[in-house]
Amino acid sequence: ILNAVILLLQLMLMPVHILQGILKQTSLQSILTWVLTHSSHFSNVGEGCWAQFINFTVNSKLLQGSAYGNASSTSAGHYLCELAESWAYANEKYIYKKMPYVRLSDTETEFAGFNNWMKPSATAIYSILTAGVLTRGEIYQCLTPDVKSINDLKNKLYATYPDKKARIERYFK
């Protein structure tokens, strides 16, 4: 029973623990940008995706010690997590880059501390934005309920913006 109580407390306190880790590494403004990006994404895709994402992150934290899991997972939650986190981090860094009063270090623009298995996807989205290939609004329009992975996003971007396919492909290696 004691182990069950401890596990329950860990689950209930996980958001606080994650937030503490984030606060040590970043600013409140950064957290708000990241959270609002997630909120807008999930308001676009619906409750089902949100539940799947939460289930994946909680199980990953319990089983692997990391809310983001690792590259070896092949679950639908894994792919949704990669999509959601890559969009959130890329969007956050892009917004920061556009703020004249915020100075990001080179490590911050390189997604320092970001989970390595998701880094290429976050970097691809960020690069598409900074290169002016697509706007945040154009990418956001493609974050629909049927888009549940980075691969789905790529395919939707190619289909929605066929005239920009070659430029988009350059960043998704």
Side-chain angles (χ1 to χ4, degrees):
I1 273 201
L2 180 60
N3 286 340
V5 170
I6 290 171
L7 179 60
L8 184 60
L9 284 172
Q10 286 176 329
L11 280 175
M12 290 174 15
L13 294 174
M14 190 169 85
V16 173
H17 175 71
I18 291 170
L19 187 59
Q20 280 179 323
I22 292 170
L23 284 172
K24 288 178 186 173
Q25 299 172 26
T26 187
S27 70
L28 182 59
Q29 189 170 14
S30 176
I31 293 166
L32 289 174
T33 303
W34 180 75
V35 168
L36 290 173
T37 298
H38 273 316
S39 298
S40 65
H41 175 207
F42 286 110
S43 72
N44 221 23
V45 297
E47 223 172 87
C49 284
W50 180 251
Q52 193 175 30
F53 176 77
I54 295 298
N55 185 45
F56 174 79
T57 56
V58 168
N59 284 330
S60 292
K61 182 68 175 171
L62 291 174
L63 300 174
Q64 300 172 2
S66 167
Y68 296 144
N70 62 47
S72 65
S73 177
T74 57
S75 73
H78 164 87
Y79 295 114
L80 185 57
C81 180
E82 178 184 18
L83 173 66
E85 293 301 335
S86 294
W87 168 244
Y89 280 100
N91 199 37
E92 172 196 349
K93 298 305 179 201
Y94 180 75
I95 290 169
Y96 263 42
K97 182 180 171 105
K98 293 293 183 187
M99 294 178 177
Y101 52 88
V102 175
R103 170 73 173 104
L104 292 177
S105 69
D106 289 339
T107 56
E108 287 175 304
T109 57
E110 294 295 322
F111 300 99
F114 188 65
N115 199 303
N116 283 336
W117 70 266
M118 287 187 259
K119 199 177 214 175
S121 300
T123 302
I125 294 169
Y126 177 74
S127 297
I128 288 168
L129 290 170
T130 57
V133 177
L134 296 171
T135 66
R136 289 183 306 132
E138 289 171 323
I139 295 172
Y140 179 75
Q141 288 177 339
C142 292
L143 293 171
T144 54
D146 59 318
V147 175
K148 297 184 180 192
S149 69
I150 287 293
N151 228 22
D152 290 347
L153 177 61
K154 284 193 296 190
N155 291 330
K156 184 98 172 215
L157 292 173
Y158 298 158
T160 307
Y161 308 106
D163 56 318
K164 298 179 181 183
K165 182 179 179 183
R167 292 181 66 203
I168 296 167
E169 275 180 328
R170 186 175 7 167
Y171 298 103
F172 285 110
K173 297 173 183 145

